[in-house]
């Protein structure tokens, strides 16, 4: 792991100001909310969020908003094009001297995994291609959570969702693997990509701090343990997030200067079972009958991922 | 910041965003709309409709234009790219789809730019979700819709069906008959759409191919005069600002919660958008000389239409006149706001009203039927779908058949 000078080393180093107030309409224990809270601590309040319809659209509900920064909703599939328009217009106005520097702001897209992996992917790809200067924050709870947890392109193999329940004919639930957005984005060589976890605040903050000094598309995939969709007690969010990293299911990494660097490597990986068995969406793998074949396949997927780096 | 000035035909808010008479970076003089449209001398040019779009945008002080690059219906977007290369626009780029383009336009308008784009046919439908969003966000974006077929089997021929999809989008909809209309509507459309009491998106529509690809004589305003740029600070919902609408409003979306305040805010906002369309009438009438044009409406038989169907109707009237049948004409220029009063008044003495249309849906006939008395006077047709022309002979035949006059078959005439 590379240590960068001047980076945060302990929790007390994090920015004391909050750019998002508590008490929003999101579910208790939402992992993504903690992620965006930490991100905004690092980015400050001069951020315009272009949102895609999803859970986080409930953050700014008339007449309340928890943000110190600004919020823009256009359409579900096109938060990135909206960010593009805003960025370009602000650049033009700044160049023409019609906008003071302190009135300018960073543009950040906030979208769920459904929008990011499915309907919003083409515009995102185009914006990376155009080298748009923006942040992209994807809160990844591995399904369309806001509408009742339906299968998305990011739902992992073996998880049950509303549209992919586990049945006798389909014992795994979701039968396809999780779309690897990190690799898809990487293929276009943007200046920065990172995976972050709310359970690793220092890692997350350092990644945003690093990205802040860069220009271009800076993309973040934030694992968002989802108490309602995944089926666990809200108080266990951090435990689930920790297990996701410790089992190696959710690798924390970043892509910078053309290199993928893992920022937290579990010394000895905990068996995936420990992560799966705590969630209702994987319960069919253990009850009424243990489905070893599926659990083994999930474990093999994780092992073969890490084998590439060990 | 703005004062109302008297125009020859009505009241238009004069922009004082830049000093009138000063020059832009291309050496064009910022000119008041009244002077530009009603006083400046015009020169006749022989241009295709697509070239006319370029000429209009050259004089429109557009900040940003975003294009979906393929040009099945009109090369206008590519021609605007040339304008950008020459330095007439601040920014121009290729979007990845019509849907993304319209959202990029929204972002640019939120940022305070005058924005122009074009689309056609399937692209219009692909972009659809955004048009209502533009209207609800009060973004005075202009889209030029060079209408073509949308149905399968695929057609790139003219067809005005897509206009019916736009009817309730909350946008202003103007329908140009000729390249001259197109030129004037584009320039004047910016002015009306950006009036503080309107401030809505506008779709300037024209029939593909007949207007975009054919050459016509167009009276252009001088090349060295341009409109004053959009002043975002005269928006009724101020331009992008951390603490002010629309960004402030968009960060507090109305519709996301099931409570009374959300419902009533949403409802009143939709009413406000429709009221803003109504308020555009006075500016529109002043600038384009009324929402309809009327020729001989004292006659028993009238042709009422919009777009190039009006031209075909006019030719049909000439043919019928040779046979002693007298027919009047009503040309509808704005579909939203719809000229209810004007049409009702214009057709009050007519016995038969024919509505020729370049689509099979007959949406214009429905609109007309919905606003006039004794609407069984309306004969919906003739109508043709994309890929077909609407020969004046077909209109003549329809009218004669209706009057009980024997007509020879048109079959085999290649029409």
């Amino acid at each position: 792991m590379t240590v960068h000078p001047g980076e945060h080393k302990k929790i007390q180093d994090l920015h004391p100001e909050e750019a998002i107030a508590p008490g929003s309409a999101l579910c208790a224990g939402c992992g993504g909310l903690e992620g965006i809270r930490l991100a905004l601590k690092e980015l400050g309040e001069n951020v315009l969020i272009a949102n895609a319809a999803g859970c986080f659209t409930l953050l700014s509900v008339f007449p309340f908003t928890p943000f110190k920064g600004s919020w823009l909703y256009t359409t579900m599939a096109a938060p990135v094009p909206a960010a593009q328009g805003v960025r370009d217009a602000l650049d033009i106005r700044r160049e023409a001297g019609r906008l003071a520097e302190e009135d300018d702001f960073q543009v950040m897209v906030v979208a769920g995994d459904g929008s990011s992996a499915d309907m919003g992917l083409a515009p995102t790809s185009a914006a990376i291609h155009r080298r748009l200067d923006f942040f992209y924050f994807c809160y990844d709870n591995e399904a369309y959570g806001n509408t009742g947890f339906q299968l998305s392109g990011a739902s992992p193999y073996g998880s049950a969702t509303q549209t992919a329940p586990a049945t006798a004919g389909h014992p795994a639930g979701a039968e396809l693997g999780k779309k690897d957005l990190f690799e898809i984005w990487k293929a276009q060589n943007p200046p920065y990509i990172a995976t972050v976890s709310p359970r690793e605040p220092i890692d997350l903050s350092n990644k945003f701090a690093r990205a802040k000094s860069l220009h271009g598309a800076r993309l973040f995939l934030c694992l968002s343990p989802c108490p309602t969709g995944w089926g666990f007690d809200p108080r266990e969010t951090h435990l689930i997030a920790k297990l996701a990293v410790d089992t190696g299911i959710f690798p924390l990494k970043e892509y910078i200067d053309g290199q993928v660097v893992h920022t937290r490597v579990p010394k000895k990986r905990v068996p995936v079972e420990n992560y799966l068995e705590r969630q209702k969406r994987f319960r069919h793998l253990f009850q009424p009958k243990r489905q070893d074949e599926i659990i083994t396949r999930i474990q093999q997927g994780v092992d073969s991922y890490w084998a590439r780096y060990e | 910041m703005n004062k109302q000035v008297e125009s020859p035909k009505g009241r238009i808010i004069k922009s004082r965003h830049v000093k009138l008479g000063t020059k832009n970076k291309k050496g064009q003089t910022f000119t008041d709309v009244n002077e530009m449209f009603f006083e400046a001398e015009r020169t006749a040019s022989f241009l295709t409709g697509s070239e006319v779009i370029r000429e209009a945008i050259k004089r429109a002080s557009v900040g940003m234009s975003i294009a979906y690059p393929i040009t099945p219906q009109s090369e206008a977007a590519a021609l605007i790219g040339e304008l950008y290369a020459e330095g007439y626009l601040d920014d121009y780029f290729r979007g990845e789809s019509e849907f993304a383009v319209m959202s990029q336009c929204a972002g640019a308008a939120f940022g305070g730019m005058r924005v122009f784009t074009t689309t056609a046919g399937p692209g219009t439908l692909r972009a659809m979700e955004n048009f209502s969003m533009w209207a609800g966000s009060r973004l005075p974006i202009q889209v030029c819709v060079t209408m073509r077929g949308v149905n399968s089997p695929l057609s790139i021929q003219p067809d005005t069906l897509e206009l019916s999809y736009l009817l309730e989008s909350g946008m202003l909809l103007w329908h140009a008959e000729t390249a001259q209309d197109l030129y004037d509507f584009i320039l004047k459309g910016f002015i009306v759409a950006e009036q503080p009491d309107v401030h809505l998106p506008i779709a300037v529509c024209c029939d593909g191919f007949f207007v975009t690809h054919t050459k016509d004589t167009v009276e252009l305003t001088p090349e060295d005069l341009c409109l004053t740029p959009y002043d975002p600070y005269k928006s009724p919902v101020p331009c992008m600002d951390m603490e002010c609408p629309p960004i402030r409003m968009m960060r507090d979306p109305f519709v996301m919660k099931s409570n009374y305040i959300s419902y009533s805010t949403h409802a009143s906002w939709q009413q406000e958008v429709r009221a803003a369309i109504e308020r555009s009438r006075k500016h529109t009438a002043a600038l384009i000389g009324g929402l309809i044009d009327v020729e001989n409406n004292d006659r028993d038989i009238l042709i009422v239409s919009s777009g190039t169907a009006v031209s075909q109707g006019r030719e049909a009237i000439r043919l019928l006149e040779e046979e002693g049948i007298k027919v009047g004409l009503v040309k509808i220029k704005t579909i939203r706001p719809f000229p209810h009063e004007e049409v009702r008044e214009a057709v009050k003495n007519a016995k038969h009203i024919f509505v020729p249309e370049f689509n099979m849906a007959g949406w214009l006939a429905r609109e007309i039927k919905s606003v006039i008395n004794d609407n069984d006077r309306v004969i919906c047709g003739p109508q043709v779908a994309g890929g077909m022309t609407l020969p004046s002979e077909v209109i003549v035949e329809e009218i004669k058949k209706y009057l009980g006059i024997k007509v020879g078959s048109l079959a085999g005439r290649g029409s």
Side-chain angles (χ1 to χ4, degrees), chain B residues 65-306:
Chain B
S65 182
I66 302 151
Y68 185 61
I70 64 165
T71 56
Q73 191 46 60
S74 154
E75 69 270 30
L79 296 175
I80 292 165
E82 289 176 10
L83 286 181
Y84 170 65
E86 291 165 20
Y88 285 94
L89 281 79
D90 293 319
D91 200 4
Y92 166 92
F93 67 89
R94 174 203 71 91
E96 60 274 23
S97 73
E98 289 88 352
F99 179 73
V101 163
M102 301 310 159
S103 207
Q104 283 148 353
C105 287
F110 272 121
M113 291 288 114
R114 178 176 286 160
V115 187
F116 180 81
T117 189
T118 63
T119 189
T124 308
L125 265 64
R126 184 169 177 77
M128 206 68 205
E129 184 182 359
N130 287 297
F131 295 136
S132 300
M133 181 267 289
W134 287 0
S137 307
R138 303 297 291 273
L139 303 172
I141 300 162
Q142 180 169 153
V143 53
C144 183
V145 186
T146 52
M147 299 185 289
R148 57 171 269 204
V150 294
N151 295 342
S152 188
L154 194 58
S155 165
I156 58 164
Q157 303 299 329
D159 187 322
T160 58
L161 181 62
E162 65 198 88
L163 216 160
S164 71
Y165 288 87
L166 297 171
L167 288 176
E168 305 310 325
S169 61
M171 292 204 286
L172 304 177
L173 305 173
W174 295 4
H175 195 177
E177 178 198 347
T178 58
Q180 183 69 57
D181 274 358
L182 187 60
Y183 179 78
D184 290 334
F185 284 9
I186 289 173
L187 283 167
K188 294 170 179 176
F190 282 119
I191 303 300
V192 172
E194 290 167 9
Q195 292 297 305
D197 61 347
V198 179
H199 220 268
L200 284 177
I202 179 167
V204 172
C205 306
C206 71
D207 298 1
F209 187 78
F210 293 132
V211 176
T212 53
H213 287 52
T214 58
K215 283 204 167 194
D216 200 356
T217 306
V218 183
E219 301 274 341
L220 301 179
T221 55
E223 205 169 349
D224 57 355
L225 301 187
C226 65
L227 296 180
T228 52
Y230 170 55
D231 176 1
Y233 296 100
K234 97 185 167 175
S235 161
V237 280
C239 82
M240 180 140 42
D241 180 311
M242 299 295 276
E243 289 307 321
C244 294
I247 289 299
R248 179 59 203 248
M249 259 183 31
M250 294 303 284
R251 77 186 211 183
D252 308 333
F254 300 129
V255 294
M256 296 302 172
K257 203 171 184 182
S258 301
N259 62 21
Y260 178 72
I261 195 168
S262 295
Y263 294 148
S264 63
T265 312
H266 183 77
S268 57
W269 193 251
Q270 301 315 311
Q271 286 163 5
E272 162 57 16
V273 168
R274 272 137 193 89
I277 294 177
E278 294 304 307
R279 291 196 294 264
S280 75
R281 285 174 192 276
K282 55 184 181 294
H283 308 301
T284 312
L287 276 179
I288 67 172
L291 308 189
I292 64 170
D293 284 345
V294 174
E295 294 167 28
N296 305 319
N297 69 318
D298 51 341
R299 294 176 174 175
D300 282 354
I301 305 169
L302 290 182
I303 291 175
V304 185
S305 198
S306 66

Side-chain angles (χ1 to χ4, degrees), chain A residues 60 69 71 73 88 93 123 130, chain B residues 96 104 111 233 250-251 253:
Chain A
S60 259
W71 180 268
Y73 176 81
D88 290 357
R93 295 184 67 206
R130 280 192 294 262
Chain B
E96 60 274 23
Q104 283 148 353
Y233 296 100
M250 294 303 284
R251 77 186 211 183

Side-chain angles (χ1 to χ4, degrees), chain B residues 342-358:
Chain B
E342 292 90 334
V343 169
R344 203 156 37 229
E345 179 63 25
V347 305
K348 68 174 179 210
N349 297 322
K351 293 200 171 63
H352 313 293
I353 300 160
F354 290 85
V355 186
E357 288 183 65
F358 270 102

Side-chain angles (χ1 to χ4, degrees), chain A residues 62-78:
Chain A
F62 181 81
F64 309 109
T65 179
F67 292 106
K68 279 193 183 161
S70 286
W71 180 268
L72 174 71
Y73 176 81
T74 56
T75 55
M76 181 164 178

